[in-house]
Amino acid sequence: MKVLLLDKNHPLITEQLSAKGWVLEEDYQSSYDQVLEKIHLYDGMIIRSRIPIDKNFLQHAKNLKFIARVGAGMENIDTTTARALGIALINSPEGNRDAVAEQVVGMLLVLTNRLFIASQEVKNGIWKREENRGMELLGKTFGIIGYGNMGKATAKRLSGFGMKVIFYDILPDLEDAYAKQVSLQELQNESDIISLHIPETPDTYHLVDEHFIAQMKKPFYLINTARGKNVKTKSLVEGIQSGKIKGAALDVLEFEKASFEQLETQNTDLQFLLNSDKVLITPHIAGWTHESKTKLAQVIVDKILETFELRD
């Protein structure tokens, strides 16, 4: 197997696959067009998000047998074309589900107890107690949209908080000891907090928009550690301004670059979020821990070897 690595990941990937006799080439600088010229030379490719793997790219990859993405989402890959060409698609959501779940809980506590705001005020000589009253989680309803690896791990972390945890998913029969499966309407009727754990697809693009917000029965907190384009920013801003959204914790933004490296555009809605004391924002780091870097890589290696050992 000759494999091209397009993004930096944990060195155990190279170490363990090389030990199996595979040939690995690291290329973290070449552009899309430069990679296109040589992709026909490789049997496999290991990526994150630097280069889009579109139909044109895949048609040039004449000998490609697999694409492995070190992470969960596969939106930067034309999966329909890849499957039609017989290319195996591998990802590793198991590797960072615990890190994502812990960040959700952390952001939730910071947001509902105004911890960051209160800390900054005290550091600036401001001592406000009444204005910084928090909200207890005990007895509240936490609604999860998407009950895959991330959603399940989040529900498990919340089990000790005395909350009612419910979820909506397009797949049936996913209920477990940590959360009850409900319809989207029931989730919107009951939830005090909504947390998104869904991929970016045509069906989930702007899932949280003005219509979704209007259907929420109670004012609510929103947490998004999934994909920025799952939320329509303009509608989020309007929801915060109207009081329907009490606060938002965002690890992802609609205006990120596709590679997640930085913000791509600036506008008045984004500026509102950046300046609002009701919004907590982090730079796409949910799942970005020292431990998850190792786990993500190990899951990818294990899945690649399992796939081709089974084929052989």
Side-chain angles (χ1 to χ4, degrees), residues 110 113-129 132 274-281:
V110 170
N113 290 282
R114 295 175 58 88
L115 298 179
F116 180 76
I117 297 167
S119 176
Q120 290 298 109
E121 287 177 349
V122 173
K123 289 179 179 181
N124 289 315
I126 302 169
W127 189 274
K128 293 182 178 180
R129 298 183 67 225
N132 284 311
L274 295 175
N275 294 322
S276 175
D277 64 2
K278 295 182 178 179
V279 181
L280 182 66
I281 301 177

Side-chain angles (χ1 to χ4, degrees), residues 25-77:
E25 179 183 321
E26 298 173 349
D27 184 349
Y28 307 142
Q29 302 297 327
S30 291
S31 67
Y32 174 95
D33 289 332
Q34 289 170 327
V35 175
L36 205 65
E37 292 177 1
K38 65 178 182 178
I39 191 60
H40 65 281
L41 301 173
Y42 299 93
D43 302 293
M45 184 166 58
I46 300 175
I47 66 170
R48 288 194 67 90
S49 304
R50 187 172 67 85
I51 289 178
I53 312 303
D54 56 18
K55 185 174 183 178
N56 178 55
F57 186 102
L58 292 168
Q59 289 174 337
H60 282 76
K62 301 297 185 182
N63 296 303
L64 207 61
K65 299 177 178 63
F66 77 87
I67 302 170
R69 181 171 187 272
V70 184
M74 303 288 271
E75 68 273 3
N76 62 321
I77 303 171

Side-chain angles (χ1 to χ4, degrees), residues 99-291:
V100 169
E102 289 183 15
Q103 173 139 339
V104 170
V105 174
M107 294 179 89
L108 175 63
L109 292 170
V110 170
L111 188 65
T112 57
N113 290 282
R114 295 175 58 88
L115 298 179
F116 180 76
I117 297 167
S119 176
Q120 290 298 109
E121 287 177 349
V122 173
K123 289 179 179 181
N124 289 315
I126 302 169
W127 189 274
K128 293 182 178 180
R129 298 183 67 225
E130 185 59 36
E131 294 86 345
N132 284 311
R133 280 189 185 272
M135 183 192 84
E136 294 182 13
L137 300 182
L138 180 66
K140 302 299 189 296
T141 299
F142 191 98
I144 295 172
I145 299 181
Y147 207 61
N149 281 280
M150 314 303 176
K152 290 177 182 177
T154 299
K156 187 175 181 179
R157 294 306 185 286
L158 293 170
S159 61
F161 284 87
M163 304 183 75
K164 178 181 180 182
V165 183
I166 59 177
F167 71 90
Y168 168 74
D169 196 285
I170 59 173
L171 298 177
D173 304 320
L174 297 178
E175 188 169 319
D176 58 23
Y178 301 107
K180 176 186 177 184
Q181 187 161 10
V182 298
S183 67
L184 182 59
Q185 182 179 357
E186 187 174 347
L187 184 135
Q188 291 175 307
N189 286 341
E190 295 189 19
S191 297
D192 298 290
I193 301 125
I194 294 286
S195 186
L196 303 182
H197 299 277
I198 49 180
E200 182 184 318
T201 70
D203 291 332
T204 64
Y205 178 78
H206 284 180
L207 175 69
V208 177
D209 59 7
E210 61 274 14
H211 177 72
F212 180 99
I213 295 168
Q215 294 300 308
M216 291 293 295
K217 187 174 182 180
K218 298 182 279 187
F220 68 102
Y221 289 95
L222 175 68
I223 302 174
N224 188 11
T225 56
R227 288 292 183 262
K229 290 182 173 60
N230 295 147
V231 176
K232 186 176 179 181
T233 305
K234 184 175 181 61
S235 301
L236 171 60
V237 169
E238 291 171 352
I240 293 170
Q241 290 173 329
S242 71
K244 189 64 178 286
I245 297 178
K246 298 166 72 174
L250 310 172
D251 182 56
V252 291
L253 293 164
E254 182 177 2
F255 307 110
E256 285 179 72
K257 292 188 69 172
S259 62
F260 311 139
E261 293 171 346
Q262 61 189 44
L263 291 173
E264 189 169 33
T265 58
Q266 295 277 348
N267 58 43
T268 55
D269 291 323
L270 177 59
Q271 282 304 125
F272 175 89
L273 297 181
L274 295 175
N275 294 322
S276 175
D277 64 2
K278 295 182 178 179
V279 181
L280 182 66
I281 301 177
T282 52
H284 207 130
I285 56 170
W288 200 257
T289 62
H290 296 291
E291 293 83 357

